[in-house]
């Protein structure tokens, strides 16, 4: 996917504004990004489609077609579906299809985009599957009782369906490609000749899916000009953090030479809080790295420094787990929630639910739902005053038992929260008149994933009032540990331990 200078500049530079439309694009984060950076970020807010997930989904569809027509063809010939005569050829066809389709590069995005190439590869691979099955039946004396005409029926209907599905897939892939949904969006950190050399190397790679969205560098002047290899410099490294909060960026590629260790460490300290891959360009350093620490974009070597947490299939698995378990919990806990809502309504005036602005994924501000546990006239939606022990404003029972948190299960269904993750903190949360991001270095790293209804820090005793710097420091440490060690089994463990952790109410009020 090579792009010329005209295409790059057209995508990168802000569109001309009509007369009277002076001023910058509104910045939802209230920062100081330039109008040019805001214009580009606003074009990159649509999420991309993971090529890994797309290829995996198509692979599963192919295998489902193979199995479905295998069983249907054999059943039409009167062969019992549970007999070895049926199971052996179907299982064999599934294994052969997976191997031949993969060997034919049928799951490469450029192939799926091309109807002719895709159809030819599918036809050849599918034919090889049945040539192998026919040879096994004829010369291997296996699959006795499996008539040859059933193979022909299976082959014909299976091929027609595979080609039809791939025609549909090709249409979607070409549409998503034109829409920029199948690219990996990258920002270059650094400038000057090193960045220019890296960009030229990337653009020479065949079927390149990297879209460079701009550069950020702290240097100025000749060492870091405003345009590098046709791409604009959009601001400093500090500006990049704000830019990545608005735009959907997949990776940051640092083109600073590895020998500039001090400057490199300063950049990484600033950037690691972002939910993106961070990689170092190694093409100019001529160094060798262990396989687990390095990768390639085409033939260009890069060093994997920070990997995006819960990407590709991990994010799908976690979202599916959230939807299934949250739905079950809502049904099971419905009597408790209804009784709580009724008690609140009868006890005091005001709405049953309380909405509070809290930080979500990537510092997005979301409305978190809770049962109202304060008198309505004493409500504190901005969390300017932290709840303390024996606070007269709150209903202690639903606070200590965390029943007030149950409506957040609906936040999970809406995709704003996860069942398990770092707890969402109020936007103005503070300790000793200092905001928590000022208290803890790297505080915003806990926002690299969706916040959770429960979390690793909470079941380890770090819940309730945060009146010392140590308490918020410990919360962040446990949250970062969770992010770096996440798995579905880890989530299940935390969910199982949560009811027992709720019994310890000394810090909950």
């Amino acid at each position: 996917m090579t792009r010329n200078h005209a295409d790059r500049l057209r995508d990168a530079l802000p569109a001309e504004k009509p007369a009277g439309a002076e001023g910058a694009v509104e910045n939802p984060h209230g920062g100081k990004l330039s109008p040019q950076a805001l214009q580009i970020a606003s074009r990159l807010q649509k999420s991309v489609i993971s090529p890994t997930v797309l290829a995996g989904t198509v692979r599963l569809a192919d295998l489902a077609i193979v199995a479905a027509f295998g069983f249907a063809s054999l059943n039409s010939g009167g062969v019992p579906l549970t007999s070895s005569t049926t199971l052996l050829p179907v299982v064999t066809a599934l294994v052969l299809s997976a191997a031949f389709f993969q060997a034919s590069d049928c799951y490469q995005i450029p192939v799926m985009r091309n109807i002719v190439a895709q159809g030819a590869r599918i036809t050849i691979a599918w034919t090889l599957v049945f040539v192998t099955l026919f040879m096994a039946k004829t010369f291997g004396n296996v699959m006795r009782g499996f008539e040859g005409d059933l193979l022909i029926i299976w082959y014909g209907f299976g091929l027609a369906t595979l080609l039809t599905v791939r025609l549909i897939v090709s249409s979607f892939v070409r549409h998503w490609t034109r829409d920029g949904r199948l690219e990996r969006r990258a920002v270059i950190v650094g400038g000057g000749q090193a960045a220019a050399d890296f960009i030229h190397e990337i653009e020479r790679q065949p079927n390149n899916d990297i879209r460079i969205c701009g550069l950020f560098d702290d240097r100025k002047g000749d060492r870091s000009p405003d345009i590098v290899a046709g791409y604009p410099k959009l601001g400093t490294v500090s500006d990049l953090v704000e830019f990545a909060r608005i735009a959907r960026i997949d990776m940051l590629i640092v083109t600073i030479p590895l020998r500039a260790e001090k400057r490199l460490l300063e950049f990484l300290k600033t950037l690691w809080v972002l939910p993106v891959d961070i990689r170092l360009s190694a093409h100019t350093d001529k160094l060798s790295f262990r396989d687990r620490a390095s990768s390639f974009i085409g033939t260009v070597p890069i060093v994997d420094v920070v990997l995006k947490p819960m990407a590709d299939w991990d994010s799908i698995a976690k979202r599916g787990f959230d939807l299934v378990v949250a739905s079950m919990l809502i049904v099971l806990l419905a009597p408790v929630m209804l009784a709580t809502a009724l008690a609140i309504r009868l006890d005091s005036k005001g709405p049953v639910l309380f909405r509070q602005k809290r930080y979500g994924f990537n510092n997005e501000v979301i409305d978190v739902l809770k049962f109202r546990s304060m008198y309505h006239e004493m409500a504190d939606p901005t969390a300017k005053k932290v709840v303390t022990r024996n606070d007269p404003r709150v209903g202690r029972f639903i606070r200590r038992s965390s029943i007030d948190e149950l409506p957040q299960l609906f936040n999970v269904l809406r995709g704003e929260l996860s069942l398990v993750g770092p707890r969402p903190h109020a936007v103005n949360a503070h300790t000793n008149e200092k905001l928590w991001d000022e208290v803890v270095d790297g505080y915003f790293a806990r926002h690299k994933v969706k916040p959770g209804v429960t979390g690793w820090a909470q079941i380890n005793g770090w819940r309730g009032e945060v009146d010392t710097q140590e308490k918020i420091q410990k919360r962040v440490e446990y949250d970062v540990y969770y992010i770096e060690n996440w798995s579905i089994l880890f989530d299940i463990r935390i969910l199982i331990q949560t009811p027992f952790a709720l019994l310890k109410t000394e810090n909950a009020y």
Side-chain angles (χ1 to χ4, degrees):
M1 193 190 303
T2 57
R3 303 163 63 84
N4 59 38
H5 276 41
D7 291 333
R8 296 199 303 268
L9 288 173
R10 181 194 62 216
D11 289 346
L13 296 176
E16 291 186 6
K17 298 180 181 179
E22 298 296 333
V25 178
E26 182 180 355
N27 184 355
H29 292 261
K32 298 179 181 179
L33 283 179
S34 68
Q36 182 185 27
L38 284 172
Q39 186 81 17
I40 294 173
S42 67
R43 298 179 185 177
L44 300 174
Q45 292 183 319
K46 186 182 293 185
S47 61
V48 297
I49 297 170
S50 166
T52 301
V53 172
L54 174 61
T57 302
V58 175
R59 182 181 282 106
L60 291 175
D62 287 345
L63 296 179
I65 292 169
V66 171
F69 279 98
F71 285 121
S73 300
L74 295 173
N75 187 55
S76 67
V79 182
L81 296 181
T82 56
S83 71
S84 60
T85 305
T86 302
L87 294 176
L88 180 59
V90 171
V91 172
T92 303
L94 286 171
V95 173
L96 292 173
S97 298
F100 288 141
F101 287 0
Q102 181 67 34
S104 300
D105 289 334
C106 292
Y107 303 108
Q108 299 293 325
I109 298 299
V111 173
M112 288 194 282
R113 192 164 48 234
N114 188 312
I115 297 177
V116 176
Q118 186 172 207
R121 290 169 189 261
I122 287 291
T123 302
I124 293 171
W126 186 238
T127 302
L128 288 174
V129 170
F130 279 84
V131 168
T132 305
L133 286 176
F134 182 79
M135 291 177 64
K137 172 178 172 54
T138 303
F139 303 107
N141 196 28
V142 295
M143 297 186 290
R144 289 188 298 273
F146 186 1
E147 299 299 331
D149 58 344
L150 297 182
L151 276 176
I152 296 174
I153 294 173
W154 186 2
Y155 172 82
F157 281 99
L159 179 60
T161 305
L162 285 168
L163 291 177
T164 300
V165 170
R166 286 308 187 102
L167 180 64
I168 297 171
V169 168
S170 179
S171 175
F172 276 104
V173 170
R174 283 184 281 116
H175 171 72
W176 289 330
T177 300
R178 288 193 301 268
D179 203 30
R181 302 286 303 279
L182 280 173
E183 61 194 8
R184 287 185 291 170
R185 297 169 181 168
V187 166
I188 303 296
V189 181
Q193 193 58 46
D197 291 343
F198 177 81
I199 292 171
H200 293 319
E201 286 285 341
I202 291 295
E203 292 184 334
R204 280 197 287 265
Q205 304 304 311
N207 299 318
N208 173 37
D209 66 342
I210 298 292
R211 176 183 178 183
I212 298 173
C213 304
L215 297 89
F216 289 80
D217 193 5
D218 287 342
R219 299 174 301 172
K220 299 179 180 180
D222 295 338
R223 299 179 64 191
S224 183
D226 291 337
I227 299 292
V228 177
Y231 295 93
K233 186 172 71 173
L234 301 177
T236 65
V237 174
S238 296
D239 295 330
L240 172 54
V241 174
E242 185 179 344
F243 180 87
R245 299 295 189 199
I246 303 172
R248 300 280 186 174
I249 299 297
D250 297 300
M251 71 174 72
L252 309 179
I253 302 176
V254 182
T255 59
I256 301 168
L258 299 181
R259 57 185 176 272
E261 181 179 358
K262 182 178 180 181
R263 185 165 168 245
L264 191 58
L265 290 175
E266 289 176 353
F267 281 3
L268 294 179
K269 182 179 179 181
T270 301
L271 300 173
W272 80 282
V273 300
L274 295 172
V276 298
D277 291 339
I278 300 179
R279 300 179 177 182
L280 305 182
S281 166
H283 77 290
T284 58
D285 289 272
K286 310 299 181 184
L287 299 177
S288 298
F289 300 92
R290 293 171 295 176
D291 289 341
R292 66 185 179 92
S294 63
S295 57
F296 291 85
I297 299 177
T299 60
V300 180
I302 54 178
V303 183
D304 303 328
V305 179
V306 178
L307 296 181
K308 180 180 180 180
M310 303 180 200
D312 300 328
W313 286 109
D314 285 346
S315 64
I316 292 177
K318 186 167 177 65
R319 181 59 180 152
F321 179 81
D322 284 344
L323 288 174
V324 171
V325 178
S327 299
M328 293 172 58
L329 289 174
I330 287 173
V331 172
L332 291 173
L333 296 172
V336 176
M337 289 193 281
L338 289 173
T340 303
L342 179 60
I344 293 172
R345 175 65 71 184
L346 294 175
D347 180 68
S348 63
K349 64 180 181 179
V352 169
L353 292 179
F354 175 72
R355 290 173 170 81
Q356 188 175 59
K357 300 292 184 183
R358 298 196 178 189
Y359 281 122
F361 171 71
N362 201 21
N363 276 29
E364 293 178 357
V365 178
I366 59 175
D367 284 325
V368 170
L369 301 176
K370 299 182 68 173
F371 282 125
R372 180 172 57 83
S373 58
M374 289 186 178
Y375 292 108
H376 180 58
E377 62 274 13
M378 299 180 180
D380 183 19
T382 60
K384 290 182 178 179
K385 182 180 179 181
V386 178
V387 175
T388 58
R389 187 181 298 275
N390 299 321
D391 196 317
R393 299 176 297 163
V394 304
R396 295 181 187 79
F397 175 73
I398 67 171
R399 296 277 297 197
R400 287 182 175 177
S401 62
S402 292
I403 289 176
D404 63 324
E405 310 283 0
L406 292 181
Q408 290 168 32
L409 293 171
F410 293 99
N411 285 112
V412 174
L413 295 185
R414 282 159 37 176
E416 297 165 334
L417 298 182
S418 180
L419 280 173
V420 181
R423 286 290 294 145
H425 292 161
V427 173
N428 292 313
H430 58 275
T431 297
N432 298 329
E433 303 302 322
K434 293 181 67 176
L435 294 175
W436 285 347
D437 61 293
E438 299 172 353
V439 174
V440 181
D441 191 24
Y443 169 82
F444 286 123
R446 65 192 305 278
H447 300 157
K448 295 168 74 169
V449 299
K450 287 181 184 178
V453 178
T454 184
W456 182 235
Q458 282 63 45
I459 68 168
N460 281 280
W462 300 104
R463 60 188 287 250
E465 183 183 4
V466 181
D467 53 356
T468 66
Q469 293 189 11
E470 180 196 11
K471 289 183 178 180
I472 184 57
Q473 178 72 48
K474 286 294 184 180
R475 282 195 185 190
V476 173
E477 288 178 6
Y478 276 89
D479 290 338
V480 172
Y481 176 87
Y482 167 79
I483 293 170
E484 294 178 346
N485 295 275
W486 172 85
S487 70
I488 289 292
L489 291 178
F490 197 6
D491 276 4
I492 294 173
R493 173 186 172 185
I494 293 172
L495 286 174
I496 292 173
Q497 289 184 245
T498 294
F500 301 99
L502 293 178
L503 298 176
K504 302 176 182 178
T505 61
E506 61 270 16
N507 293 323
Y509 37 87

